[in-house]
Amino acid sequence: MLTPAEFDRRRSELIGALGPGCAAIVAASPERTRSRDVDYPYRPDSNLLYLTGFHEPEAVAVLVPGRDEGEFVLFCRERDPARELWDGKRAGPEGALAEFGADAAWPTGEMDKIMPDLLKGVDTVHYDLGQYPEFEARLGGWLKRLRDQTKERGRAPVQIAALDYYVHEMRLCKSPAELGCMRHSAALAVDAHKRAMARTRPGMHEYEIEAELIYCFKQGGATESYPSIVASGANACVLHYRENTARMAGSDLLLVDAGCELNGYASDITRAWPVGGRYSAEQRAVYEIVLEAQRAAISAIEPGVSILDPHHAAIDVITRGLLRIGLLKGKAGRLARDGAYREFFMHRTSHWLGMDVHDVGDYESGGKPRKLEPGMCCTVEPGIYVSPDNENAPKAFRGIGVRIEDDVAVTASGHEVLTAALPKDPEEVEALIGLL
Ligand code: GLY
Ligand code: MN
Ligand code: MN
């Protein structure tokens, strides 16, 4: 778990980066209706969580560098015994001060009155436009009021600037405490995949495997970090398949892409295993190419190399492998240059991983692919998908989809595979199927 000191350090770093004359405003994500009077489970805005740890709806954090009365202001819902009887405990402004380190805290109802005062004398308001339109309309109102009242209040802010540029850079490089959270999340997702493998039997439905994953996540105090993909047979060729309704045959390969969010940090793992316990010759041939590509991509990860280097390593192995098994024809070098692999491998090898499964942070810097630094975390997930409709492919290969995905942290000397405890050698995987 993260300590209050960690949140304090993050705010100080941001305040230092913004400097005087600025204010940063971070609003909670709105609650969203599922149907009629039932909401979706609430998921707080990641930037607000990152800077405050505060997880209630309607909250708004304001950071004002150099403000004499305190730089961290938090608006939040008031304590309300009647509402708390139905919906659960609220921290209230008292809790915001005592538990979340705010220098000042007010009920959200006071925002219209207090926000213009907080923004008085501020030149630049850092706020990420375009995300929460209702809140934005209110912000627009406060700024107009300040512009209309320059006689009484002095100069109004002159610019709105992005905030996520700063916060996303901070989130991209994980602190030691965050790496601890990433390891826990990865370990729980590893357990869930092991259980899913062990519970797999021909005749089951994909949703029964999904249930095993969710069972593990919930047992560990986590939720899914994205809807689990449980794709048997040709469903594996749909990259973000989510129906999870098919009945699985013993001859099917099952692709499972599932991860959890534990204490605010995501994991993201994919394995592909044979429902009947043994890979067919064609399934295994494809699997081994993807495994070699994934190992080559992981080996490429170290500080100073580009985020695209693992991808290039994977493309090279996949192109040569597809040639070897006859799914591509021609010369390896030319096929790689022409991007012939894209018919079978149509996504990137890596994305950032952190509080969000597709985490924040630029992939380029100065017009070039980003260089890896210690503390960055990413996935490594090459795949080969042979469309069931690919009439150029031998019949036995059609409908085979394999992706192998692990979570990797960049370290000072190379990398750490956070999900290394989950087997991916074909024999080791086969030995786990149907054990429970
Ligand atoms: N689970 C989505 C992805 O692997 O990117
Ligand atoms: Mn992924
Ligand atoms: Mn995934």
Side-chain angles (χ1 to χ4, degrees):
M1 289 289 269
L2 301 170
T3 60
E6 172 101 3
F7 291 103
D8 227 27
R9 182 192 58 72
R10 293 171 180 179
R11 287 190 296 271
S12 300
E13 191 179 327
L14 178 61
I15 284 167
L18 295 180
C22 295
I25 302 181
V26 192
S29 48
E31 293 173 284
R32 304 213 191 261
T33 306
R34 178 176 180 275
S35 181
R36 210 167 134 69
D37 61 349
V38 175
D39 287 342
Y40 284 106
Y42 185 67
R43 169 60 163 79
D45 177 273
S46 295
N47 284 351
L48 182 66
L49 265 188
Y50 181 79
L51 291 169
T52 67
F54 200 79
H55 41 76
E56 290 182 28
E58 298 179 42
V60 177
V62 187
L63 299 179
V64 191
R67 181 173 174 269
D68 291 339
E69 303 85 354
E71 298 176 310
F72 171 31
V73 176
L74 192 59
F75 293 93
C76 61
R77 301 179 305 184
E78 252 181 309
R79 301 292 313 269
D80 179 342
R83 287 313 318 163
E84 289 179 49
L85 173 68
W86 287 89
D87 297 328
K89 192 174 171 327
R90 298 174 172 192
E94 313 82 308
L97 295 171
E99 295 160 41
F100 293 90
D103 298 312
W106 286 284
T108 45
E110 301 280 305
M111 218 164 3
D112 285 339
K113 200 168 91 213
I114 290 167
M115 192 71 90
D117 282 339
L118 287 177
L119 300 182
K120 205 170 91 181
V122 164
D123 284 328
T124 304
V125 175
H126 287 272
Y127 174 79
D128 293 319
L129 290 167
Q131 211 182 354
Y132 304 132
E134 275 179 36
F135 181 76
E136 230 159 275
R138 296 184 71 186
L139 176 61
W142 299 321
L143 292 174
K144 171 148 179 21
R145 232 162 82 201
L146 285 166
R147 285 198 303 275
D148 291 347
Q149 297 177 349
T150 48
K151 214 163 1 87
E152 297 86 350
R153 293 179 186 265
R155 213 162 91 130
V158 288
Q159 51 185 350
I160 307 264
L163 177 64
D164 56 14
Y165 168 76
Y166 297 92
V167 180
H168 291 181
E169 279 299 298
M170 290 168 62
R171 281 175 54 188
L172 179 55
C173 283
K174 276 71 182 170
S175 70
E178 288 184 287
L179 287 170
C181 292
M182 294 294 292
R183 284 189 196 100
H184 282 135
S185 179
L188 185 55
V190 165
D191 286 349
H193 275 256
K194 280 188 182 159
R195 182 181 171 94
M197 288 175 183
R199 301 289 270 193
T200 299
R201 283 200 173 69
M204 288 173 79
H205 291 84
E206 293 165 343
Y207 51 74
E208 294 175 72
I209 299 301
E210 181 184 7
E212 300 294 344
L213 296 160
I214 294 173
Y215 172 82
C216 264
F217 295 156
K218 283 279 177 193
Q219 279 277 318
T223 57
E224 291 174 298
S225 50
Y226 53 92
S228 299
I229 296 165
V230 183
S232 61
N235 294 336
C237 296
V238 179
L239 299 179
H240 282 173
Y241 174 77
R242 280 184 285 260
E243 288 165 47
N244 299 357
T245 48
R247 195 162 180 270
M248 305 185 296
S251 56
D252 281 342
L253 192 62
L254 175 64
L255 182 152
V256 171
D257 182 343
C260 62
E261 183 177 300
L262 180 62
N263 297 319
Y265 287 82
S267 43
D268 181 8
I269 302 181
T270 307
R271 291 291 186 267
W273 60 83
V275 171
R278 289 282 170 275
Y279 292 97
S280 73
E282 290 78 13
Q283 289 168 352
R284 180 145 177 168
V286 173
Y287 187 91
E288 284 182 346
I289 298 168
V290 177
L291 184 57
E292 189 191 337
Q294 205 238 12
R295 290 200 162 122
I298 291 177
S299 303
I301 294 184
E302 61 184 31
V305 309
S306 116
I307 179 68
L308 280 186
D309 283 4
H311 187 49
H312 292 140
I315 288 171
D316 186 47
V317 174
I318 284 178
T319 302
R320 284 188 288 105
L322 289 171
L323 255 176
R324 204 166 55 238
I325 62 173
L327 289 176
L328 284 180
K329 293 186 175 39
K331 291 244 178 302
R334 182 172 185 99
L335 289 169
R337 270 197 308 281
D338 292 351
Y341 62 88
R342 286 201 191 99
E343 184 185 354
F344 301 96
F345 174 31
M346 57 294 280
H347 56 79
R348 283 275 170 94
T349 298
S350 298
H351 57 78
W352 304 129
L353 184 71
M355 297 182 75
D356 284 284
V357 65
H358 296 155
D359 206 30
V360 295
D362 285 339
Y363 287 85
E364 288 187 356
S365 173
K368 295 212 178 87
R370 185 93 189 224
K371 295 239 186 322
L372 297 179
E373 296 168 36
M376 291 178 174
C377 294
C378 65
T379 63
V380 180
E381 50 176 311
I384 293 178
Y385 315 88
V386 188
S387 162
D389 306 321
N390 185 338
E391 292 187 355
N392 296 324
K395 268 213 170 83
F397 281 105
R398 291 183 206 164
I400 293 179
V402 174
R403 177 164 65 253
I404 303 175
E405 175 173 31
D406 281 301
D407 302 345
V408 179
V410 183
T411 62
S413 58
H415 59 261
E416 173 186 349
V417 181
L418 305 172
T419 47
L422 184 62
K424 55 188 173 187
D425 262 342
E427 280 88 11
E428 280 181 61
V429 172
E430 284 178 345
L432 289 172
I433 313 299
L435 277 183
L436 278 178

